[in-house]
Amino acid sequence: MKSMSLGFEEALRLTLEAIDPLPAENVGLLDCVGRVAASDLYALVDSPSSDVSRKDGYAVLYSEVRDAATRPVHLTLAGSAAAGAARNITLTEGTTVRVLTGARVPLGADAVVAEEYCMADGSDILIGAPPVEPDRNILPRGRDVRAGQLLLEAGRRVSPAAAGFLAAAGLSKVPVFSSPVVGIIGTGDEIVEPGEPLAEDRLYASNIVTLAGWCMRSGLTSRMAVVKDDPDSILDIFTKMSSGTDVLITSGGAWKGDRDLVADVLERMGWRKIFHQIRMGPGKAVGLGVLDGKPVFILPGGPPSNFMAFLQIAWPGLMRLGGHREPGLPRMKARLATGIKEGNVGWTDLFFGTIEETEGLPFFHPMEKRSRLASIAEATAVASIPEDRDSLAQGSVISVQLLT
């Protein structure tokens, strides 16, 4: 078979260059979780907004209690303060103020003694603390965040903890990239929608469920459809699905057989092909083009090829569409448990596998390429043999992509 001219790395580069993030929108703090910041985000306020106590205890003047561990000090209670109270109290010599955790520290106070080192007898407070240093148990204003501080860079995903950080910094609305709506279309006379009766020589459309599941896990909305190997039917479903989605992914019909009609239909619809079929296995029949300004990914129908093409090409494209700064699967270093000798120089060969945690580097156990659905269901990582090699030796330290 004649070698394909486009390599995997070049195809991935073209994919990321061809796709621009969707427009930004302002959403509430809870709605921004899992989305991607559309601009750099800066703090609007200091947090905490004043010096506050880290402990339940007594605010004191350090100079009066520095030797309290050996010579206990009697102070007069001048008041009390709780978290959220707007009242300002000024501490004077010979006095102390009862403060609860989170309460504003009285003016003049420069330390808080935890209550377990104090004894109260009415308004007489006996301080018998261990050595106390200035600012003891005081959280200064702006220690968590300062007004004007950069909180999150554009292109970064907003985690639940990051959303809380944004809230503390005074933000209530966050500009994030719109989340893509993904149309996923399975093609083939042999496939049946899950739940429908299964006739002889037919199989359920598992590929589109896998792809939609990946989208759902990352907060993307997906719409699924199944269509027969008929050009007019394919054109009709492409037209209908495209009108309500931001990107289309097809499954099946991507090669050069008599029933592989997807690319021909897209040509008929006037798409701008960027590439179709690359030096990557499994998944070589993958393609990308633009139809009416929207990306269209063509994926092969065999489950391992379908899923690998999705992970390596379509998934980074979806992440780019959603505004991610570093699209693609997360990576880690692992040691190859067994050698891989099924590579072809000039091709990028990819392998599903599992990760085994060890005291040192984890082991990557490659799966047989001949396995199909089982390899997808059990896989936790992906490894690759680059184009310039045909094998990887047992014990090699490699970079693997994580699926979990």
Side-chain angles (χ1 to χ4, degrees):
M1 183 177 64
K2 184 177 178 181
S3 177
M4 299 167 189
S5 60
L6 191 65
F8 165 66
E9 293 293 342
E10 179 70 2
L12 180 58
R13 181 185 66 79
L14 290 173
T15 298
L16 299 181
E17 288 179 353
I19 297 175
D20 293 321
L22 293 172
E25 57 180 340
N26 285 323
V27 302
L29 287 169
L30 291 182
D31 291 329
C32 80
V33 174
R35 306 278 289 277
V36 178
S39 63
D40 291 346
L41 302 178
Y42 295 89
L44 302 179
V45 299
D46 291 339
S47 181
S49 56
S50 60
D51 293 352
V52 297
S53 177
R54 294 178 181 268
K55 298 265 191 178
D56 289 351
Y58 293 86
V60 297
L61 301 175
Y62 165 72
S63 60
E64 292 187 323
V65 300
R66 72 176 72 190
D67 298 322
T70 55
R71 288 183 295 175
V73 176
H74 288 269
L75 298 174
T76 300
L77 186 64
S80 63
R87 179 170 167 238
N88 246 336
I89 302 175
T90 299
L91 197 65
T92 58
E93 291 184 3
T95 67
T96 184
V97 172
R98 167 74 167 158
V99 290
L100 301 181
T101 302
R104 181 186 298 185
V105 175
L107 297 175
D110 53 8
V112 171
V113 180
E115 63 181 357
E116 56 264 33
Y117 300 111
C118 307
M119 293 181 62
D121 183 8
S123 62
D124 179 62
I125 309 300
L126 179 65
I127 307 292
V132 176
E133 63 273 11
D135 300 322
R136 178 77 171 180
N137 295 325
I138 293 177
L139 183 66
R141 174 174 179 160
R143 171 59 62 84
D144 288 334
V145 61
R146 286 278 185 188
Q149 176 184 336
L150 177 63
L151 306 172
L152 195 68
E153 294 179 332
R156 298 297 186 188
R157 183 174 175 273
V158 183
S159 67
F165 191 38
L166 298 176
L171 282 74
S172 60
K173 294 286 186 179
V174 182
V176 294
F177 290 106
S178 296
S179 185
V181 178
V182 186
I184 305 173
I185 304 167
T187 69
D189 291 337
E190 76 283 8
I191 62 173
V192 178
E193 290 190 31
E196 295 296 319
L198 188 66
E200 190 175 353
D201 298 326
R202 302 296 175 90
L203 56 100
Y204 285 120
S206 62
N207 287 344
I208 63 174
V209 175
T210 298
L211 306 188
W214 261 74
C215 292
M216 182 180 70
R217 190 177 77 169
S218 295
L220 309 186
T221 301
S222 62
R223 299 174 182 171
M224 297 187 294
V226 172
V227 64
K228 302 297 183 183
D229 285 325
D230 172 72
D232 291 336
S233 298
I234 294 174
L235 188 150
D236 183 59
I237 196 65
F238 282 4
T239 301
K240 290 178 180 177
M241 189 72 84
S242 179
S243 65
T245 60
D246 300 300
V247 54
L248 290 182
I249 299 176
T250 69
S251 171
W255 194 233
K256 301 177 180 179
D258 294 341
R259 308 302 291 275
D260 294 324
L261 306 174
V262 170
D264 291 341
V265 172
L266 288 169
E267 291 284 353
R268 178 176 159 190
M269 297 177 73
W271 84 323
R272 177 173 62 87
K273 183 177 75 174
I274 296 172
F275 61 81
H276 184 197
Q277 301 169 6
I278 65 177
R279 300 193 309 272
M280 178 184 86
K284 63 179 180 258
V286 64
L288 169 65
V290 178
L291 178 66
D292 297 330
K294 299 177 182 180
V296 180
F297 291 96
I298 298 175
L299 307 185
S305 296
N306 179 272
F307 193 38
M308 192 67 81
F310 172 79
L311 293 174
Q312 304 304 324
I313 297 295
W315 183 245
L318 291 180
M319 294 187 71
R320 175 71 83 194
L321 195 63
H324 286 265
R325 185 175 182 178
E326 298 175 357
L329 297 170
R331 288 183 173 271
M332 69 178 295
K333 293 291 185 182
R335 195 175 299 278
L336 195 56
T338 59
I340 302 176
K341 300 179 181 180
E342 299 180 36
N344 299 285
V345 173
W347 282 64
T348 298
D349 285 274
L350 299 124
F351 295 81
F352 289 111
T354 58
I355 293 292
E356 177 192 357
E357 296 293 340
T358 65
E359 289 186 2
L361 281 178
F363 280 106
F364 174 80
H365 294 269
M367 295 175 170
E368 291 285 341
K369 276 195 173 184
R370 289 182 291 276
S371 59
R372 288 168 56 86
L373 292 174
S375 66
I376 295 173
E378 297 175 6
T380 57
V382 173
S384 65
I385 304 177
E387 285 195 5
D388 60 349
R389 303 183 65 180
D390 62 2
S391 64
L392 292 174
Q394 179 180 5
S396 300
V397 176
I398 59 175
S399 175
V400 300
Q401 298 171 313
L402 300 179
L403 303 183
T404 57

